[in-house]
C-alpha cells in the first residue's frame, strides 16, 4: 500500500472546498438573499460540505484511511463554520 501524502491531499481538498464556497456564493445571491431564508441556506452549507467530503473520499479511495478521513472532515467543518459565520453577519 502506498503512503499517502496528507499535505498534498489536504491541499487538493482545500481546493475542492473553495469550489463549494464559490457555488454557495452564487446560490446565496440567486436564491437565499433575503429575509427568512438564512436558516435554509445554513442547511445547504452543511449538506454541500458533507457532499464534497463524500465525493472526495470516494474519488480518492479514502474510506478505509481513518487519518485521511479525519483530516478532510476537519477541513470541511472549518470551511462550513467560516461560511456560516460569514453569512450570519451579512443579514
Amino acid at each position: 500500500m502506498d503512503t499517502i501524502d496528507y499535505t498534498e491531499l489536504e491541499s487538493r481538498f482545500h481546493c475542492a472546498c473553495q469550489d463549494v464556497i464559490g457555488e454557495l456564493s452564487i446560490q446565496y445571491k440567486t436564491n437565499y438573499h433575503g429575509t427568512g431564508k438564512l436558516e435554509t441556506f445554513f442547511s445547504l452549507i452543511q449538506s454541500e460540505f458533507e457532499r464534497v467530503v463524500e465525493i472526495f473520499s470516494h474519488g480518492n479511495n479514502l474510506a478505509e484511511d481513518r487519518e485521511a478521513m479525519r483530516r478532510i472532515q476537519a477541513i470541511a467543518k472549518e470551511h462550513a463554520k467560516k461560511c456560516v459565520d460569514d453569512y450570519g453577519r451579512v443579514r
Side-chain angles (χ1 to χ4, degrees):
M1 184 172 174
D2 294 333
T3 303
I4 292 180
D5 180 351
Y6 291 115
T7 303
E8 189 267 337
L9 182 76
E10 288 175 346
S11 177
R12 288 189 299 119
F13 189 66
H14 275 292
C15 288
C17 287
Q18 289 302 318
D19 291 344
V20 170
I21 290 168
E23 287 297 319
L24 285 168
S25 178
I26 292 167
Q27 286 286 328
Y28 179 76
K29 290 175 186 172
T30 58
N31 299 317
Y32 296 97
H33 192 269
T35 310
K37 297 181 181 180
L38 199 54
E39 289 302 318
T40 304
F41 185 65
F42 289 165
S43 294
L44 178 65
I45 290 171
Q46 179 180 350
S47 66
E48 287 299 304
F49 280 105
E50 288 171 354
R51 188 176 68 82
V52 77
V53 166
E54 178 66 29
I55 291 168
F56 190 85
S57 63
H58 180 73
N60 290 279
N61 298 317
L62 301 177
E64 301 297 318
D65 188 330
R66 293 178 124 184
E67 180 62 15
M69 291 301 296
R70 184 191 67 75
R71 288 176 183 230
I72 66 170
Q73 287 171 340
I75 291 167
K77 184 177 180 179
E78 173 187 316
H79 281 290
K81 182 181 180 328
K82 183 171 180 351
C83 282
V84 168
D85 289 347
D86 289 349
Y87 284 103
R89 287 186 215 124
V90 171
R91 298 193 186 259

